[in-house]
Amino acid sequence: MSLSSRIYFPPLGLLCFISLTSSWSYLEPGGTIDWSSKNNTCDETFQSPIDIITSEAIDKRFPPFHMEHYSTTADGARIVNNGHTVEVHLNQSPAPTLSGGGLDGIYTAVQFHFHWGSSDNYGSEHFLDGNSFPMEMHIVHYSQKYPNISEALTKKNGLAVLAIFFEVTNCNNTEFQCIIKKLPSLRNPGFPTRVYCNLLKLLPKNFDDFFRYSGSLTTPPCSESVVWTVYPKAVKISSWQINQLRTQLIRIYDGDRTVLVNNFRGLQSRNNRRIYKSIIDSGATLPRQFSQLVFLLVMILSVANLELFSSAGVI
């Protein structure tokens, strides 16, 4: 059976903007810079990814995120090597949703995917203070203001993407094994299978510490419709695990089969965009947390004393 006849098309009209039939590639002679010759949007002003400079970010405390159904998000979801990345399509019911965190309304999660390099020194799309990470995960959501992701893609703030960095350590990330063990089945593009993951456990422990800016998709059509949430705290993954991604997957470009690595876009100009940081200083919040605890204890003791005096006939 030919490759094109085995392409996975996501359900419910989900726009697969990273697809096997796309007219772009990370391997084009001009690299990702050449995308603008075919997609004018890729040359517009507010493109992603960018280098986030911590000292230049504006402090702004956003309310906490509210995540629904993230623990069962990828419970039997479809995972596929689409020729550009490993992508997991989230089509279960009820759908996972994201709100709070400064977002305007509720967003539905539709897929997550990864970008990685051939070395531990690079691979992420976003940089943090001039530093790259070996891998970055994107969780893509669209606003429930719109009937589907196709329409949301054309609207300002129509999409919300969570970006999570990964760093290499000596120990395996047990939660990430749900992805790793599926890689042998995903070696060739276009052959989906099922995956069972707890997406919530792939996030940083404190998912209310983040950077925020407005940007674009990092692949064509490069639509400038994305509210980006970038987490500064990297999730740990072992050298062995990331090497499985670097060695087990194949992509096809111009008739040639090559190992799927270095699937990231180059940095884009910030162009005077505002970057916000909502970082909670754990040391600074201890007194406030302590005072709240003391207040709660005082209230409990007050109620207890009132009941005691009441039973004794004092009041």
Side-chain angles (χ1 to χ4, degrees):
M1 186 178 291
S2 67
L3 177 63
S4 59
S5 63
R6 291 300 302 271
I7 295 174
Y8 165 61
F9 292 96
L12 303 178
L14 173 61
L15 174 64
C16 191
F17 43 80
I18 301 180
S19 78
L20 291 171
T21 57
S22 62
S23 59
W24 61 271
S25 173
Y26 294 103
L27 298 177
E28 292 179 33
T32 61
I33 297 176
D34 198 45
W35 289 349
S36 59
S37 64
K38 301 176 182 177
N39 297 272
N40 293 333
T41 313
C42 295
D43 199 30
E44 291 190 356
T45 306
F46 301 131
Q47 291 290 290
S48 299
I50 61 172
D51 184 3
I52 296 173
I53 307 302
T54 304
S55 61
E56 297 178 1
I58 302 169
D59 287 307
K60 184 175 182 178
R61 183 65 57 83
F62 290 100
F65 275 118
H66 184 62
M67 298 176 176
E68 289 281 354
H69 310 299
Y70 263 62
S71 59
T72 57
T73 291
D75 191 7
R78 291 200 177 194
I79 183 172
V80 66
N81 167 4
N82 64 17
H84 301 300
T85 184
V86 170
E87 186 171 80
V88 179
H89 296 274
L90 309 173
N91 57 354
Q92 82 279 5
S93 181
T97 59
L98 178 70
S99 59
L103 297 177
D104 183 15
I106 302 173
Y107 287 72
T108 300
V110 290
Q111 56 107 319
F112 65 92
H113 60 269
F114 303 89
H115 302 268
W116 63 89
S118 56
S119 162
D120 290 349
N121 298 321
Y122 52 84
S124 65
E125 297 212 296
H126 289 88
F127 280 45
L128 185 60
D129 292 324
N131 298 310
S132 178
F133 292 81
M135 189 169 75
E136 182 174 335
M137 178 173 72
H138 292 163
I139 308 175
V140 182
H141 310 69
Y142 75 93
S143 173
Q144 290 189 357
K145 293 179 180 179
Y146 310 107
N148 52 58
I149 192 172
S150 301
E151 184 171 340
L153 194 64
T154 66
K155 307 297 183 181
K156 180 177 174 60
N157 300 335
L159 303 181
V161 180
L162 305 183
I164 298 96
F165 295 127
F166 284 76
E167 62 183 0
V168 173
T169 65
N170 294 326
C171 299
N172 284 342
N173 182 330
T174 55
E175 301 301 334
F176 197 72
Q177 278 300 109
C178 61
I179 302 293
I180 297 299
K181 67 182 183 181
K182 293 296 180 179
L183 296 183
S185 302
L186 304 176
R187 181 168 180 80
N188 294 302
F191 294 84
T193 186
R194 296 286 181 179
V195 67
Y196 295 85
C197 292
N198 186 333
L199 184 57
L200 191 63
K201 292 185 177 180
L202 293 179
L203 295 176
K205 290 184 178 179
N206 190 346
F207 43 75
D208 289 321
D209 283 1
F210 56 84
F211 292 94
R212 165 67 50 74
Y213 80 99
S214 295
S216 73
L217 297 177
T218 62
T219 60
C222 307
S223 306
E224 293 184 343
S225 55
V226 181
V227 180
W228 280 98
T229 299
V230 182
Y231 291 104
K233 184 67 175 178
V235 173
K236 299 184 186 303
I237 189 175
S238 73
S239 179
W240 176 83
Q241 286 176 311
I242 197 168
N243 279 330
Q244 300 307 300
L245 282 167
R246 292 170 179 159
T247 59
Q248 293 208 33
L249 302 173
I250 296 295
R251 61 182 162 192
I252 301 174
Y253 176 69
D254 203 18
D256 294 329
R257 294 169 57 86
T258 60
V259 177
L260 178 51
V261 290
N262 299 329
N263 56 346
F264 54 88
R265 189 186 191 188
L267 290 175
Q268 305 297 300
S269 175
R270 175 175 165 179
N271 288 329
N272 297 317
R273 274 176 285 181
R274 291 185 176 183
I275 315 299
Y276 297 98
K277 60 179 176 182
S278 182
I279 308 296
I280 299 174
D281 184 344
S282 59
T285 59
L286 284 177
R288 183 177 62 188
Q289 293 173 344
F290 180 74
S291 63
Q292 291 174 342
L293 178 60
V294 170
F295 176 77
L296 179 62
L297 288 173
V298 169
M299 292 298 294
I300 292 173
L301 289 173
S302 297
V303 171
N305 285 334
L306 285 172
E307 291 180 349
L308 179 62
F309 290 151
S310 177
S311 63
V314 176
I315 58 173

